[in-house]
Each structure stands twice: as C-alpha cells, then as structure tokens.
C-alpha cells in the first residue's frame, strides 16, 4: 500500500498529546493491564477480549479482512479462535516478545520483526485472499509489549517527514513483512 507523505506539525502533535491525555490514556492503560494480566492465549474469553478491544478500538481493519461466517462478530471471533487454537505456538512467540527491550537494538528489531511476521502469516490463514493485517498485528503485539512500534497508515505517512528513510531497506528473513520492517527501522532512528 502506498502512503501519502504528510508533513509533521509540532502544533498538531501538541494538540494530539493533549487529546491523548484527556481521552485515550485510560483506554491504553486498561489494555496494557489486560494484556499483562492475561499474557497467554490459553483462556478463550480473554483472547476474545484482547482481540475485540484492540481490533475495534484502534481501527485495525482486521474485521474487513477476515472472512465472515455470517454471524455478528464472526470475523473477530475467527481471529480469537485461531489464536486460541494455536496458543502453544503463539505463547512461545510471546515469550520471546517479552524479552524485547526499549532500546530497539539490532537484536530487538530482528526479534520483533520475526514475531510480527509469524503472527501475520498465521492470520493469513483466515483473511480474504491472504490479506495482511499489519496494523492489527502491530497493535496486538504493542499492548503485550509497549516497546513494539504501532503501525498504521497515518504514522507511516508522517514518518518520512521526521526522519530520513534512506537505508531503511532491511535484509529480511522469509517471514518478515517488508513494509513493517522499513517502518520499524525508520521509527528506531
């Protein structure tokens, strides 16, 4: 997906920070607590809670990309079902994710890109035409480890006006999503 380059505005950023503090910080804190207290994927009800709240609250588009079975909320339920069914594998990845630190050094970046790619690939099993749910995966990982950069098209559009994206083309492992990798490399600058 091609993103329109947008210019960074310090005044818009300040207004956004104020809006976050007044309206969104409590939402994030609630999600961080939910994901910290229910980090694994062994309890179906908490998997559903995490998927629904992250997927819908943060406009990830996951429901549009997952094939519905016809019932209300069936797309989001299919995501929760998949994570729950593959809980051993997903929890192994999240065990690794827990070791990613705040410095985003080369090891951290490689590890979070690998885990993002693995979860992204798992979810293509239920998406329409194997569409990528990049934004959902980054946000889902972020609330389990706040060191993981959140990806969305707005952030991707602004990033080039803040840092040079030269040299952001990473040598990628097979399962790594190139667009997210370039974003993370730019973000780490």
């Amino acid at each position: 997906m091609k993103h329109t380059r947008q210019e960074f505005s310090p005044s818009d950023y300040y207004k956004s920070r104020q809006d976050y503090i007044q309206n969104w910080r409590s939402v994030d804190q609630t999600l961080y607590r939910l994901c910290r207290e229910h980090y694994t994927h062994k309890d179906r009800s908490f998997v559903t809670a995490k998927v629904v709240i992250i997927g819908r609250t943060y406009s990830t588009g996951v429901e549009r990309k997952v094939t519905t079975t016809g019932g209300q909320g069936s797309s989001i339920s299919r995501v929760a079902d998949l994570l729950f069914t593959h809980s051993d594998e997903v929890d192994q990845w999240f065990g690794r994710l827990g070791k990613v630190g705040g410095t985003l050094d080369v090891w951290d970046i490689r590890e979070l890109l690998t885990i993002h790619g693995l979860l992204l690939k798992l979810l293509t099993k239920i998406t329409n035409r194997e569409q990528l749910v990049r934004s959902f995966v980054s946000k889902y990982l972020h609330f389990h480890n706040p060191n993981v950069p959140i990806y969305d098209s707005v952030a991707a559009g602004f990033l080039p006006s803040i840092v040079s994206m030269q040299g952001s083309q990473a040598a990628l492992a097979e399962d790594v999503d190139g667009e997210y990798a370039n974003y993370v490399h730019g973000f780490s600058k």
Side-chain angles (χ1 to χ4, degrees):
M1 171 185 251
K2 190 73 174 164
H3 300 285
T4 305
R5 183 183 167 121
Q6 300 173 0
E7 292 299 316
F8 176 76
S9 162
S11 64
D12 286 348
Y13 175 74
Y14 177 76
K15 289 176 194 171
S16 177
R17 283 190 72 225
Q18 293 303 96
D19 179 62
Y20 174 78
I21 291 167
Q22 292 172 358
N23 299 305
W24 289 95
R25 183 171 43 190
S26 293
V27 174
D28 282 356
Q29 289 171 343
T30 300
L31 272 169
Y32 290 131
R33 188 175 60 247
L34 173 65
C35 292
R36 185 177 53 251
E37 291 175 3
H38 304 282
Y39 196 77
T40 67
H41 296 80
K42 303 274 190 252
D43 185 320
R44 176 65 166 78
S45 65
F46 285 111
V47 173
T48 300
K50 294 186 293 186
V51 169
V52 168
I53 296 169
I54 294 168
R56 289 184 174 167
T57 303
Y58 289 93
S59 303
T60 65
V62 70
E63 287 183 275
R64 289 189 312 272
K65 293 182 178 182
V66 173
T67 307
T68 182
T69 59
Q72 185 174 1
S74 67
S75 294
I76 210 96
S77 292
R78 290 191 68 210
V79 174
D81 285 340
L82 187 69
L83 295 175
F84 178 71
T85 302
H86 289 75
S87 64
D88 290 339
E89 186 176 13
V90 172
D91 288 345
Q92 180 184 22
W93 301 338
F94 277 61
R96 293 166 47 194
L97 182 70
K99 297 175 184 168
V100 171
T103 59
L104 288 185
D105 61 23
V106 173
W107 181 91
D108 289 330
I109 290 172
R110 185 177 303 130
E111 192 70 353
L112 77 88
L113 291 177
T114 299
I115 296 162
H116 179 275
L118 290 168
L119 190 55
L120 198 61
K121 185 176 181 178
L122 176 66
L123 288 166
T124 62
K125 292 179 178 185
I126 59 170
T127 59
N128 300 314
R129 298 175 311 283
E130 296 185 349
Q131 291 180 66
L132 300 179
V133 286
R134 176 181 298 116
S135 177
F136 171 75
V137 171
S138 74
K139 291 168 184 174
Y140 194 79
L141 295 175
H142 172 80
F143 284 104
H144 287 83
N145 182 337
N147 298 312
V148 175
I150 288 178
Y151 176 93
D152 65 27
S153 58
V154 174
F158 278 108
L159 192 59
S161 73
I162 300 170
V163 299
S164 169
M165 296 300 283
Q166 294 290 69
S168 292
Q169 294 293 329
L172 303 176
E174 183 180 328
D175 289 330
V176 171
D177 173 35
E179 189 168 331
Y180 184 64
N182 290 332
Y183 174 79
V184 169
H185 284 283
F187 182 89
S188 70
K189 292 179 181 181

